[in-house]
Amino acid sequence: MASAAESGPAPPRESDQNFDYMFKLLIIGNSSVGKTSFLFRYADDTFTSAFVSTVGIDFKVKTVCRNDKRIKLQIWDTAGQERYRTITTAYYRGAMGFLLMYDITNEDSFHAVQDWATQIKTYSWDNAQVLLVGNKVDMEDERVVSTQQGRQLADQLGFEFFETSAKDNINVRQTFERLVAIICEKMADSLEGESAAAPGKKGPSLSDAPAQAAQHCGC
Amino acid sequence: MINHHSLKQDVPEKMDDHAPDEDREHALPEAMLDLMSMDNDFTPRAHCLVRWFGLRSFVVIVPAAPAEAVITESKCNLLLSSISIALGNTGCQVPVFVQVQQKWRRMYVGQCEGPGVRTDFEMVHLRKAPAHYGHLSGLLDVFKSKIACPLSSVPPVNVCVRFTYVLQDCQQYQWPQPPPDMDACVASEVGGLEIGKLPFGACEDPVSDLHLAATWPHLTEDIIVDNDVYSDLDPLQAPQWSVRVRMADNPQCLLCDFLHEFHGLCHRKESTDQLLGKSLFEQDSGEVGDIGQVLQRLTEPVPLHLPLLPTVSSMVHEARQRIPRKHRSDGVPVTPVMLASIFKFMFSDANGMMETNPGVNEAATSCPDQETGNMHRNLKSAPVDSLTHRLALCLCMINYCHGGLKGVAQVWQEFVQRLRGYWESNIVIPWLNPGPPEFSCCLLHQKFQMLNCCIERRRNREELQNQHQLVKETGGRQRRDRHSAGPSEDASGFRSWESWSEDSEDEFYECESELSGDEGGEQSLKVVNSDGDDPSNEKSKRAEGRFQQHSSLILLSSGAPLYIPITQESAPMTEDLLDEQTEVLAKLGTSAEGAHLRARMQSACLLSDMEAFKAANPGCLLDDFVRWYSPRDYTEAVDGNGHGELSARMRIPGNMWAEAWESCKPIPARRQKRLFDDTREAERVLHFLAGLKPAEVAQHLLPCLIHAALLKVEEESSDDVPTVKRLLQQTISLASRVLRQPNSDPGRLADVLQQLGLAETVIARGRSLRAKFAVQSLDKDKEKEEVERFVTSLLEQPEVPVIGAGRGPAGSILRGLFINSQQNSAYTPGDDVALIQGNSASLPSGFPAPRGREFVLRTLVPRPAPYSCSVPQRMFCVLLKDQFTLAGAFSSDTSFY
């Protein structure tokens, strides 16, 4: 599993090796869009209206099963403030998946999505997968970014799109599961591509030449 | 009997099915039709039975081991009759062969059964052709006597003839690329090899010989004469010509050699110290077992002279100072002159390029098109033309022709010294992109960038300090001295350099302590001068460290404008540092305490910013800070007048933000504890670099080298065949797959190198052929195009027909080649002359004797009785210098005999 080794720290540090793969995921987006809440909802199934604003980065772990394989998700939560950009982008390296989050009640956070996407492109590996997530659908009254707008932007960026609520637990699990699924698909593809490329690799090889020559000479 | 069976059981069966598509609605088995078919004459790449009998499908029984070869005739007959029974029982129409005699003789006998007809395959194999069978007329006699046709008027025999001519070495064309002359490298000019360029091409002709086959595909015996006194078979008149080239098995190719040698380095265990000798005292103590000394004795002594070099900056002076010193006691493989030219190439500071930030200019030039520009990201190497890239090229060359491993160790050591020189004299290292380390590049490149970050930070810091003129008199002078020592070349600067280098370590720590002393002093000075009273009294404090006024915000308490403070830049990191840090953070676990600790560990930046903010805005509140720093955590009051409020999360009692705010003092950024200790980090980098073994350096640089090699192949392949393009694409994608994994599998790396070598060989072959056919010198475009196409197909196909045979453009070039080589060898008659004895009578002038002659004789006659059906008869004859083979397939009617 080349791709698995490629991105996750392959040998698990903990002595409990009760998983088959480890995926490193990152949640990014403007400050106060609900990244930490979203992660707590998924990892601990809890919700508090106020988490201390994340300083630097933090992480949670969740193990999921997929096709009889246990996948340990190491999900890194990042500070959204501008000041932390340079610190957090360093962690993009080696992440296999991103949740790019904005707040449907905050236009700025939506407008920043393009920037975040550029950051991903600049600092992550090419094969990292990204989902666009519009959070806080429980606050429908204050919505300023329509679902349509969100979907359109996602299409434009080539990401899949979810609207979620960490508070009401809407689409949280589904979002993560989808991201994991896409990563798995991508992994399978790249493995296939590799094995497909192997015979092609033969091409014209040096060893052909002598064989062919020998054939002729003796006749 | 039992023996027989066991033999039969462990023989492998081999099916050779070439064109299984034809319809089988014929009375005769396919095999027998094949005998008469002219389609399969001289198939270029196939089993010899295909060539001999024209068969497309057959079964061969071969002995499993040489010891079990079927030597005796009785055993052979036994096998044949078993086959006969088997074929009869099964009704199988596929011919079955048995290999008899020693394997190398390639003798096969076999049988094919069809409805009412049987074909026997038999062979004669001799070392030398009997004189009277050395030409067509003799062979026809054999054929006819073998058929023993009962008819009085025998139908004429169809004849197909092929003569093969071999052009062994084209001596008249001096192979243009001699191997690099290692001895010449001692001189200042690097023999044939330009520094910073990878060599390319084969050292010997990758095309070993050229086989020209002149074929008369369809003759009848009565229209040609070929006997011991006369022959109609003039190759120039042959209707078909075809050429195949035989390539040298493993031509020595320079690029590939370079890479392999360098790759070989990666497995060496020796450390730099071991290789170069620990230091001067150890040399003096005369330790005998030291590897460095053993090697030293093996290497030739290098001419000893103190070189006089052109303008190079003071670091070079310093390094040069070391070289002669070492030379006195230690035979290092790389001469000072060589070293100087390498470093001139790497740093190019002799051209005064150093201060003009070359990184920027490089970014502009090195990415002409998207694909090439991004290649270093895919390969995780370094940008083309960067210092790292240059280093890789130089070390590769040093490894190949200037002392191998030891040379690499020496150059690496000097290189690190030179980096230290840049650091110590506070000069930005050239050929590196500015900014923090790029994780898309190899670790070594990141380390170099990191060092540059340190240098730049320190420069900025010191500049700032000088501006503020807060430096104490003594310390300041000392530092300024050091400043001027770097770029200037005056005698005093140089001397001070020497004294620095004597004992640089100590100097460093002294410098650091002096700095921190400065800061302490500075701070106390400040406190006394500006405040005078209790520093904790914020209101009375003068604002410090302001960057600029915020465009709109005003302080909540006083209504004064809010100032954005100067803040410390966050610490740049290389990927290994980041991994380390991530590890530490991850180790804290996911518990609430862990998370809290993690936040605390990362709070330095927040704290520093708060301090700076407080200093810039005396009398400010957390609310003010949050409004600037994290605007979403503050809700402005709706009515525009009164106070808004902090977000709920900022109001959580005891949360980190509030806690930090309470605890921090107003301190402008320049007086804060540094978030990034450039001195320490620079030392760390230099220590890391100095501790690398040559093998590790090679490992780190291999991606850059592969990158360079790919570009080289790409550059060289511009005029070449599609095969190369395809190969190159494959190599690039393979390389990026392999190199982007953190620990590249050495086996797969070897694959990449092999593919690169292959691409190089193919290009070299193309060049060789093109030179032979003198494509460039052809006048007419049309001819040129045709010959070009011909050359291209020679590279891609086993055998290529010559359009227009001896009369076409390619044909006439071939004719010239053969005639030339014949003339050249005329004075030293080789064995070839002896070969044609049987047929020497009427050779066309100038053409050499054929190396091999092949005849296919075919006819359809009734056999064995005059009233039998007409059945196919065929005999294939090969006449070589030391081989005479007849392979006959004689059919007979099994119904009417």
Side-chain angles (χ1 to χ4, degrees), chain B residues 438-439 441-450 574-575:
Chain B
E438 293 163 86
F439 293 158
C441 297
C442 69
L443 183 62
L444 222 46
H445 188 75
Q446 295 180 32
K447 292 282 182 192
F448 299 156
Q449 286 186 307
M450 182 72 161
T574 51
E575 66 185 25

Side-chain angles (χ1 to χ4, degrees), chain B residues 504-581:
Chain B
S504 55
E505 292 261 310
D506 280 0
E507 206 59 59
F508 240 106
Y509 290 118
E510 191 185 316
C511 153
E512 196 181 39
S513 66
E514 165 219 312
L515 275 181
S516 54
D518 263 357
E519 269 175 321
E522 191 185 303
Q523 208 160 357
S524 59
L525 203 80
K526 189 73 205 153
V527 168
V528 172
N529 284 355
S530 64
D531 299 326
D533 51 4
D534 184 9
S536 66
N537 184 354
E538 284 178 16
K539 294 260 152 74
S540 67
K541 251 194 130 180
R542 219 187 68 194
E544 278 188 285
R546 284 175 170 173
F547 173 60
Q548 61 180 64
Q549 190 179 333
H550 195 278
S551 55
S552 56
L553 295 177
I554 51 167
L555 295 183
L556 292 167
S557 57
S558 61
L562 186 149
Y563 281 90
I564 299 169
I566 296 169
T567 51
Q568 291 201 47
E569 282 179 72
S570 54
M573 273 196 282
T574 51
E575 66 185 25
D576 55 340
L577 287 184
L578 180 75
D579 286 344
E580 249 171 58
Q581 189 185 315

Side-chain angles (χ1 to χ4, degrees), chain A residues 2 6 13 31-32 50-53 55-61 76 81 83-84 86 90-91 93 103 106 121-122 124-126 194 200-201 204 206 210 212-213 215-219, chain B residues 45-46 51 106 211 244 246 249 377-378 439 568 570 575 578-579 581-583 586 590 595 598 602 606 609 629-630 632 649 652 657 723 730 737 740 748 751 755 758 765 878 880 883:
Chain A
E6 183 173 325
R13 286 171 301 273
S31 131
S32 306
F51 282 105
V52 176
S53 181
V55 175
I57 56 155
D58 197 7
F59 82 104
K60 289 247 169 219
V61 168
W76 291 86
Q81 284 87 0
R83 175 60 164 153
Y84 290 104
T86 45
Y91 287 86
R93 189 182 69 101
D103 174 354
N106 180 274
K121 218 174 160 52
T122 314
S124 76
W125 286 134
D126 295 344
E194 203 154 304
K201 173 185 108 179
L206 274 179
Q212 153 209 352
Q215 194 76 59
H216 174 232
C217 282
C219 295
Chain B
R45 203 187 288 191
R51 198 174 176 95
R106 299 212 282 176
H211 293 212
R244 57 166 82 206
R246 195 169 143 204
D249 283 355
R377 282 195 62 165
N378 291 332
F439 293 158
Q568 291 201 47
S570 54
E575 66 185 25
L578 180 75
D579 286 344
Q581 189 185 315
T582 314
E583 183 97 349
T590 54
R598 211 166 11 244
Q602 297 176 88
L606 179 65
D609 292 345
Y629 204 77
S630 181
R632 287 264 282 148
R649 62 178 182 176
I652 299 172
W657 293 63
T723 324
Q730 282 170 9
R737 271 203 308 277
R740 276 172 46 174
R748 300 191 61 193
D751 282 354
Q755 284 219 32
L758 183 55
R765 285 172 183 168
V878 186
L880 296 176
Q883 188 195 344

Side-chain angles (χ1 to χ4, degrees), chain B residues 293-338:
Chain B
Q293 291 187 341
V294 177
L295 277 177
Q296 173 202 337
R297 245 172 266 133
L298 290 176
T299 48
E300 258 181 305
V302 189
L304 246 174
H305 61 287
L306 212 129
L308 208 68
L309 283 176
T311 55
V312 199
S313 79
S314 56
M315 279 91 47
V316 186
H317 271 286
E318 175 224 6
R320 210 180 301 143
Q321 202 67 6
R322 286 153 196 257
I323 300 161
R325 225 191 296 155
K326 235 174 239 150
H327 265 266
R328 240 165 275 140
S329 59
D330 189 356
V332 285
V334 184
T335 61
V337 180
M338 185 66 217

Side-chain angles (χ1 to χ4, degrees), chain B residues 88-109:
Chain B
N89 287 348
T90 57
C92 169
Q93 298 193 348
V94 176
V96 178
F97 289 88
V98 186
Q99 178 161 25
V100 295
Q101 305 296 356
Q102 291 82 359
K103 204 168 166 75
W104 60 267
R105 295 182 67 182
R106 299 212 282 176
M107 295 272 284
Y108 295 87
V109 293

